[in-house]
Amino acid sequence: MTELYFQRHRRLRHSAGMRAMVKETYLHKEDLIYPIFVAEGENIKNEVQSMPGVFQFSLDHLGAEIDEVVALGIPAVILFGLPAEKDAVGSGAYHDHGIVQKATRFIKERHPQLLVVADTCLCEYTDHGHCGVVEGEQILNDPSLNLLAQTAISQAEAGADIIAPSNMMDGFVTAIRAGLDAAGFEHIPIMSYAVKYASGYYGPFREAADGAPQFGDRKTYQMDPSNRMEAIREATSDVEEGADFLIVKPALAYLDIIRDVKNNFPLPIVAYNVSGEYAMVKAAAINGWIDEKSVVMETLLGMKRAGSDLIITYHAKDVARWLEGK
């Protein structure tokens, strides 16, 4: 037989111990941020039909959920609100008695060490479902900025540890930074949805947050999925305006963008493992087509490998259990 020369890569795979020794990418509980939907009212614990295992909670049911999150070692939650009433300017987003503000106070009183990230947007609170002030069918950029700053200040006053603006208005980071600083919240960081695409993966979230636009779409302010360099321009603006974290949303179809952003900016990068990504895995698992644990862990490792430091994911509780071997 002719002598062959080749690399024996399998030497580093032949046992579980060896594979563990050379493992390059790790997923930790500390990487996870768990989204929670909080609703005004009482005795509400509604499972989101398109997102099995995800619920809308009123405050009287929120305690048990937060206790479980803390017991599992998940370090942070991000809050989305479902107000009882909506109006043209989304005033429920920035009232001191808004549902996210009330939920934040509730959580910080119960578990002060749990980090509360407040999603800062108007779409869940406006009767038209858009993320800014509307005139006719135009979403106005500059008039929206003041409302977003008011929202961020009210969330910080309620005890939010991190402000996470998701609206994609131009200048939203600088407006919010100026507002927070003027109100004495220089220490509160901004986790900017810096790179947010107009995506079909958001469908289940719109059911969960009751935030679908009542006309048109969000393509005039969210990014075109075709564009890559635009992501760098968007992230550059947010860094210059004072962002402390950069979110890329969605994650699964945009792993290249996560890597681009990681390579270009020395800030913590956050992948948002969005509702549609979650729903697809859940649907396939319920039908027995995939092994849920292996697919979820592989997917989140892929996001870490692409460059994310943190992951916002609806799988967080399950992942925390799996990482503990449960």
Side-chain angles (χ1 to χ4, degrees), residues 59-79:
L59 293 185
D60 52 328
H61 282 283
L62 183 60
E65 180 75 352
I66 294 300
D67 291 348
E68 182 181 20
V69 167
V70 170
L72 288 169
I74 297 168
V77 296
I78 182 167
L79 299 181

Side-chain angles (χ1 to χ4, degrees), residues 120-124 126 128-134 139-140 144 148 166-169 196 211 213 218 221-222:
T120 305
C121 198
L122 303 177
C123 60
E124 297 142 48
T126 55
H128 47 73
H130 280 283
C131 302
V133 175
V134 167
I139 293 83
L140 304 182
S144 303
L148 294 167
S166 60
N167 53 90
M168 288 297 284
M169 297 293 113
K196 183 177 180 180
R218 294 177 176 149
Y221 46 103
Q222 295 177 1

Side-chain angles (χ1 to χ4, degrees), residues 44 56 58 86 90 103 143 163-164 188 199 221 241 255 285 295 316 321:
I44 297 171
Q56 301 165 337
S58 53
K86 304 187 180 194
I163 299 300
I188 297 293
S199 173
Y221 46 103
E241 292 173 15
L255 297 176
V295 168
R321 294 186 188 97

Side-chain angles (χ1 to χ4, degrees), residues 173-186:
V173 173
T174 195
I176 288 171
R177 184 73 273 160
L180 289 172
D181 291 356
F185 295 108
E186 300 93 340

